[in-house]
Amino acid sequence: MKKMLVVLLTAFMALPLLAVPAFAEPPTAVEGTFDYTFEVLEVREANGNQFLYATEDEDRVGDFIGPGDAEFTVGIFSSGFWNVWLRSEFTGTVLGDKEGTMVMQLVGKKPADGDWYGQWVILSGTGDLSNARGNGTWGGPGFGAAGPDIWYSGQIHFEP
């Protein structure tokens, strides 16, 4: 009986050593810019505020290279403050060698007298980007700027 107990205790102590955890690679900094054109599909008004429903064609350069298609809503409030909720499907290359698609969510704000600013997060991906995880910030003057419309920066890593 004592031998059986010793064998069982040894087995239970050794089990955690058999499970080798898999770790994601460390995050890599990413940055770049994108320009876009958009088409307003619908405008609604409520209590002196406007809500635009639109689509967007994007052209990204930097660590994300390729086109994107997005759907978004912009709230333009009577105070002059703007909010945006945007979902973008990017197709291209990340960090120069990983190809596929990524779905990203962007949210942001624009004060009456300033540039856009906000956050982005990767929701899903396909191909080499199926296990991409990342997030960051974005900002800029927006459509029609003399330079890039929007800059982005953040970090990305790939789950095992």
Side-chain angles (χ1 to χ4, degrees), residues 34-39 55-59 68 70 72 143 149:
F34 67 92
D35 290 318
Y36 64 92
T37 58
F38 66 94
E39 179 182 354
T55 60
E56 179 174 287
D57 293 322
E58 304 165 340
D59 184 24
F72 66 95
F143 179 73
D149 295 335

Side-chain angles (χ1 to χ4, degrees), residues 43-116:
V43 178
R44 292 189 183 189
E45 293 192 31
N47 300 323
N49 305 311
Q50 285 189 331
F51 297 90
L52 309 177
Y53 304 92
T55 60
E56 179 174 287
D57 293 322
E58 304 165 340
D59 184 24
R60 294 178 185 265
V61 296
D63 291 316
F64 301 164
I65 298 174
D69 295 312
E71 294 181 0
F72 66 95
T73 301
V74 173
I76 304 169
F77 299 95
S78 57
S79 65
F81 198 81
W82 296 34
N83 279 348
V84 66
W85 304 270
L86 183 144
R87 182 157 297 186
S88 175
E89 184 172 318
F90 161 81
T91 302
T93 304
V94 172
L95 299 173
D97 65 347
K98 298 192 184 299
E99 296 181 9
T101 63
M102 288 190 306
V103 175
M104 294 179 280
Q105 180 75 45
L106 290 82
V107 295
K109 301 175 181 182
K110 181 186 179 312
D113 60 350
D115 286 351
W116 287 100

Side-chain angles (χ1 to χ4, degrees), residues 13-51:
M13 290 181 357
L15 280 176
L17 300 175
L18 297 175
V20 178
F23 296 103
E25 63 183 52
T28 300
V30 292
E31 64 181 14
T33 62
F34 67 92
D35 290 318
Y36 64 92
T37 58
F38 66 94
E39 179 182 354
V40 176
L41 304 176
E42 182 179 357
V43 178
R44 292 189 183 189
E45 293 192 31
N47 300 323
N49 305 311
Q50 285 189 331
F51 297 90

